[in-house]
Amino acid sequence: MKFAICQELFVDWDWERQCKFIADVGYTGIEVAPFTLADRVTDVTAEQRQTLRKQAEAAGLEVVGLHWLLAKTEGLHLTTADAGVRSKTADYIAELAHACADLGGEVLVFGSPQQRNLEEGMSREQALANAAEVFRKAMPVLSDRNVKLCMEPLTPKETNFITTCAEGVELMGLVDHPNFILHQDVKAMLSESDSIPELIHRHAKVTGHFHVNDSNLLGPGMGETDFAPIFKALLETEYDGWVSVEVFDYKPGAELIARESFRYMQETLNAVS
């Protein structure tokens, strides 16, 4: 099990400073929100990508991949009835895969709730078909670049499309590609009727990435969620991917959040091992 952190938390820091601090805390991975680099990932040049990768590696970090894939973009949407927009969205996901691989990453996490919500009057079945079409179109590039696209179920408060792990697996069946897999997120799974350990066990074979956070939008150990059974379930299912901290409340400060999250995760993992 490898620990990473999502770097949009360090919004006012330059990249090299982010990498050095994250590595000094003890993390071995950094997960990138593309909007922190440029409005569109295509604006990040090949030379810039190479520099970012080298700086991360020099600090002792791997770039895990990208998340918040469509944040702050315009004219892109996953489930829209507009075929032209769907085509552009598929093309952009392919560009994200190129950027991910150039940075040394292997996963794209598709969250982006606003760019996947169902349009008024659209059926769930049509939305699934539209989303599957977009993802299938992008898959050849992901396959060529050895990048996996991880579908992230979110809470019903955030989106009306793919709000449970089971729905994510349903979409996986429609896309039907080994590079399209499931992402699990603690905050999101807290909204499901089944327990998080149950969901981890049930979907272990198709889960490729894992985000840790709490219902209070802070990091693990900073809220009420007990992570001991969560880490125990990850160990029992022999999960060997990244466990990446993603928070949404930055008020305690990036340094405190990063340190406390890492300390708690290490202590909890040691306790259940």
Side-chain angles (χ1 to χ4, degrees):
M1 206 181 303
K2 303 170 289 187
F3 293 122
I5 192 165
C6 298
Q7 54 75 237
E8 69 275 9
L9 173 65
F10 303 90
V11 61
D12 297 322
W13 296 28
D14 67 65
W15 175 259
E16 200 165 11
R17 182 186 175 198
Q18 292 177 42
C19 292
K20 185 177 186 309
F21 175 78
I22 289 168
D24 286 347
V25 171
Y27 297 93
T28 55
I30 181 170
E31 188 169 331
V32 182
F35 69 82
T36 67
L37 305 179
D39 288 342
R40 292 177 77 95
V41 77
T42 47
D43 294 333
V44 185
T45 67
E47 292 76 16
Q48 288 172 322
R49 294 174 189 184
Q50 189 68 13
T51 298
L52 292 168
R53 179 173 180 169
K54 286 180 177 179
Q55 289 175 333
E57 290 172 348
L61 294 179
E62 290 182 51
V63 174
V64 174
L66 311 179
H67 70 294
W68 278 111
L69 301 182
L70 304 186
K72 300 192 178 182
T73 61
E74 294 182 1
L76 302 176
H77 200 279
L78 180 66
T79 62
T80 177
D82 188 322
V85 171
R86 293 200 306 273
S87 181
K88 290 178 183 177
T89 303
D91 291 342
Y92 190 68
I93 291 172
E95 290 293 345
L96 287 161
H98 284 305
C100 179
D102 290 346
L103 290 168
E106 295 183 349
V107 297
L108 297 177
V109 179
F110 195 96
S112 301
Q114 299 306 315
Q115 291 88 3
R116 74 199 231 192
N117 280 338
L118 273 64
E119 295 172 336
E120 187 175 353
M122 177 171 286
S123 69
R124 176 179 176 275
E125 290 71 24
Q126 187 60 58
L128 283 166
N130 290 350
E133 172 197 295
V134 169
F135 290 137
R136 281 196 300 268
K137 184 182 177 189
M139 282 301 129
V141 172
L142 275 94
S143 184
D144 287 345
R145 298 306 307 267
N146 195 31
V147 172
K148 296 190 185 316
L149 182 57
C150 307
M151 188 66 204
E152 181 177 24
L154 296 171
T155 71
K157 292 181 179 179
E158 297 165 297
T159 186
N160 59 12
F161 183 68
I162 310 295
T163 59
T164 67
C165 292
E167 290 176 346
V169 172
E170 182 182 7
L171 181 56
M172 284 177 55
L174 294 174
V175 176
D176 191 25
H177 195 285
N179 287 59
F180 187 67
I181 56 179
L182 183 68
H183 170 82
Q184 290 188 321
D185 175 278
V186 170
K187 173 180 64 65
M189 287 190 288
L190 285 170
S191 69
E192 295 207 35
S193 56
D194 293 326
S195 72
I196 292 177
E198 286 178 292
L199 294 170
I200 290 171
H201 277 275
R202 185 177 306 147
H203 303 294
K205 291 183 179 180
V206 296
T207 298
H209 196 50
F210 202 89
H211 276 170
V212 284
N213 38 41
D214 212 314
S215 58
N216 65 356
L217 308 183
L218 290 171
M222 303 182 76
E224 297 180 353
T225 302
D226 180 7
F227 277 78
I230 295 172
F231 279 111
K232 186 171 184 291
L234 290 172
L235 290 173
E236 289 170 346
T237 56
E238 299 182 342
Y239 178 75
D240 61 357
W242 290 99
V243 173
S244 192
V245 176
E246 182 189 31
V247 303
F248 302 91
D249 180 356
Y250 304 164
K251 289 193 292 293
E255 292 169 279
L256 176 65
I257 292 170
R259 288 195 178 104
E260 283 302 301
S261 297
F262 186 79
R263 178 196 61 77
Y264 176 79
M265 289 191 298
Q266 289 283 3
E267 289 181 358
T268 304
L269 185 58
N270 290 335
V272 300
S273 296

